[in-house]
Amino acid sequence: MDPAGGIPPAYRHATVARLCALSSSAATKRMSSAPPAFAFVSYLFPRLLSVRAASTSCLPSGAEQARVTGRLVWDQVGEKPQNVNVFVSTAAFDTWVVDSAIGCPDAVPIADCKDARGGTFNYNNSLTWTPNSIFTLALEDNLNLDSTGDFGFDTVTLGYQGSGEPSLEHQVVATIGSANYWLGIFGLNPQPSNFTTFNSPQTSYMSTLKDNNTIPSLSWAYSAGAYYRFEGEFASLVLGGYDSSIFTPTPLTIPFHDDSSRDLVVGIQSIKGGLSSTNLLPGGGIYSFLDSTVTWLYLPEDACNAFADTFGLTYNSTAELYFVNESSHNNLVQTNPSITFTLATDITGGQTVDIEFPYAAFDQNVTWPYVNAGESQRYFPIKQAQNQTQYTLGRTFFQEAVVIADYERSSFTVAPRTWDQNAQQNLVTIHSTSYEPPSSSSLSSGAIAGIVVGIVALVALAGLGVFFLRCSRKRKTAGTGSATGKHKKGSNASGEHPEMAHKPPFTSHETDSREKFELPPAQRQVYEMNGRQDSYTLKPEMYGSESPARSELPSPGETAGWSQYKSEPSELESPTRFELPGDSVMKDREKKRGSAPHPLRQASND
């Protein structure tokens, strides 16, 4: 393996070893005794999906949690699942996994190489693998780290098997063997992949999540976590939004760089460190690319020398790394100096933000192939950049920073991470540019629900009113039939009411409309709702009923079409069914009272 290439992350305690907890892995025990730092990937659905959890309210959302180990994301590749651990890459736009055939050759002096590399992938064991061809990885070529991969398409699921995380079919996957990237990666950049031509772009994982409404926008927020905080602090990756509980808000918003392959470019105005705040960027401000794919900070040579002088580092030209001897390390642990990066959109002026690092963030270890197998060496994760295109802030920087990128608005934010073990996660959705918020004049769902409940209540009350009204009418009709010929309270022995003694007695003449008494059953009913009494007849099922008290008063709508029954007299119209007093009885009563016959009755008798 080429020492000029990437240091195998599995042998760097700060970047992987102390963060990487491969369960039941002997490599973990060998690399570090520090407790593992676990994290969660969440997704903000359009109603909230978060990679440390959108409604799609950002990805949900609840809910939707996938295990991340240290800075690793669990990826599941293929229809016949194969679980692998990969790093989050803010620069890559596809998924890489270590090839089981070439990732751990016999020449590697590591007994558990496959576990150390986060697990390997064998596409021959996948039921859904579609091969493509071998291409360059097209990443980090400016850092001389580019390599090749065997590309194809397969189903990729974020999270361990059974986690319920998004599972997308026909995703671009590259199998790799190079030690430049000791573990695979999961790309966050939404750019499509192009192979032989630009005429057939392959949609990225992020874009597919957005297209199928799994996340509310093409955005993410990432922080790598830190093994040295508490007992190991979580990494955090949120898709479609951010977790506001893990950083200090900053007004700094930086537009994307014109070069799409280096879009997250930030201006470093100054770097100060040590007990006396030494200037560690003596040549002035620089523009640097934020890229979590690699571990190191690529800085100008004069800046690296300033770091070496301030912290007692020794440059190893063979490994091209800055080593730390035990004496310097012990002194740095005791004094615990800090290093502060001042960032802005440009290298001078404008809004700035400070990201401060403790010495522990740079206290890392390297092993084979940079030192002999079985040995370990402390080193400082900075590298000399050969030119301006190599200025890069790698994964070490993401330990103390939260980066939030919005690809729909072409801007990003860098904020200092906060460390509060009692903080409650607070996922915030970043809406798409096509999102249309509800009108301020529109009713909320609660108001609509209240209106619906009110309407239902009014309908219910109206129904009860109609019900009681009908019951009242039925009772009146029944009372008329049963009270005929019987004594009632307040009447005299003859059945007459005292207050009616000097009024004409009740008659059976239909023409006597002067009385306000309830009509006897012998008469055709007259309804207040319509004076056309001849249009109302009995309901079909009630026709011919012998009991007038059982007939509910028909409404106009119920009698339509029943005029053909007018010519057939109903039994209810028969005067012989009423027990009305006859003329002889009435005459006897009049004689006893000594009153003259009623004029109308006299006329009738004649």
Side-chain angles (χ1 to χ4, degrees), residues 298-332:
Y298 285 81
L299 300 172
E301 183 176 355
D302 59 352
C304 291
N305 292 334
F307 270 86
D309 294 339
T310 302
F311 300 107
L313 313 179
T314 301
Y315 182 67
N316 185 296
S317 58
T318 302
E320 297 183 348
L321 296 173
Y322 286 86
F323 289 166
V324 182
N325 59 41
E326 286 300 314
S327 175
S328 295
H329 169 71
N330 292 334
N331 179 59
L332 292 171

Side-chain angles (χ1 to χ4, degrees), residues 362-435:
F362 292 86
D363 180 15
Q364 302 183 19
N365 286 50
V366 63
T367 62
W368 178 90
Y370 299 98
V371 296
N372 295 329
E375 296 182 0
S376 176
Q377 173 64 55
R378 298 185 185 280
Y379 88 112
F380 217 81
I382 58 175
K383 287 180 73 76
Q384 295 181 6
Q386 302 303 311
N387 52 61
Q388 295 181 358
T389 66
Q390 289 190 342
Y391 294 160
T392 303
L393 297 180
R395 198 160 46 246
T396 295
F397 176 82
F398 285 80
Q399 294 177 116
E400 294 290 331
V402 177
V403 177
I404 305 171
D406 183 349
Y407 286 83
E408 297 189 34
R409 295 170 181 83
S410 299
S411 62
F412 67 99
T413 296
V414 183
R417 177 154 185 180
T418 56
W419 305 102
D420 182 359
Q421 288 183 300
N422 298 319
Q424 297 296 313
Q425 186 183 67
N426 183 34
L427 297 176
V428 179
T429 299
I430 297 176
H431 291 293
S432 172
T433 53
S434 61
Y435 172 75

Side-chain angles (χ1 to χ4, degrees), residues 512-581:
D512 189 1
S513 60
R514 295 171 299 173
E515 302 300 326
K516 296 182 180 179
F517 312 120
E518 189 169 5
L519 296 177
Q523 292 181 316
R524 187 184 299 274
Q525 303 296 330
V526 179
Y527 306 103
E528 294 179 352
M529 62 185 71
N530 195 326
R532 297 176 55 191
Q533 78 171 48
D534 58 346
S535 65
Y536 300 100
T537 58
L538 302 176
K539 291 184 179 180
E541 64 272 20
M542 300 299 293
Y543 188 78
S545 171
E546 295 183 359
S547 175
R550 295 180 182 176
S551 175
E552 188 172 319
L553 296 180
S555 65
E558 295 174 324
T559 60
W562 287 85
S563 60
Q564 66 268 29
Y565 293 103
K566 278 185 60 181
S567 60
E568 300 178 11
S570 168
E571 292 183 5
L572 294 179
E573 296 179 272
S574 174
T576 59
R577 289 206 169 265
F578 305 106
E579 299 179 7
L580 297 178

Side-chain angles (χ1 to χ4, degrees), residues 85 88 128 155 175 254 283 310 356 359 458 476 484 495 497 601:
N85 299 309
V88 170
T128 50
T155 299
T175 62
I254 304 173
T310 302
E356 184 176 348
Y359 164 68
L458 287 176
K476 287 182 180 180
T484 304
H497 290 273
R601 187 176 292 113

Side-chain angles (χ1 to χ4, degrees), residues 10-11 16-17 19-34 36 38 69 72 74 85 110-119 182-183:
Y11 304 109
V16 178
L19 298 173
C20 197
L22 304 176
S23 56
S24 303
S25 169
T28 303
K29 298 177 183 178
R30 182 186 70 243
M31 290 186 285
S32 173
S33 59
F38 293 96
T69 310
L72 308 178
W74 288 91
N85 299 309
I110 305 173
D112 51 359
C113 174
K114 291 185 177 182
D115 286 340
R117 299 199 67 170
W182 191 247
L183 273 69

Side-chain angles (χ1 to χ4, degrees), residues 186-197:
F186 173 71
L188 296 181
N189 194 309
Q191 293 185 59
S193 297
N194 290 280
F195 292 101
T196 56
T197 70

Side-chain angles (χ1 to χ4, degrees), residues 331-355:
N331 179 59
L332 292 171
V333 169
Q334 289 180 354
T335 58
N336 192 27
S338 63
I339 302 172
T340 301
F341 287 70
T342 299
L343 309 179
T345 301
D346 297 310
I347 57 176
T348 58
Q351 180 68 46
T352 63
V353 61
D354 290 341
I355 309 295

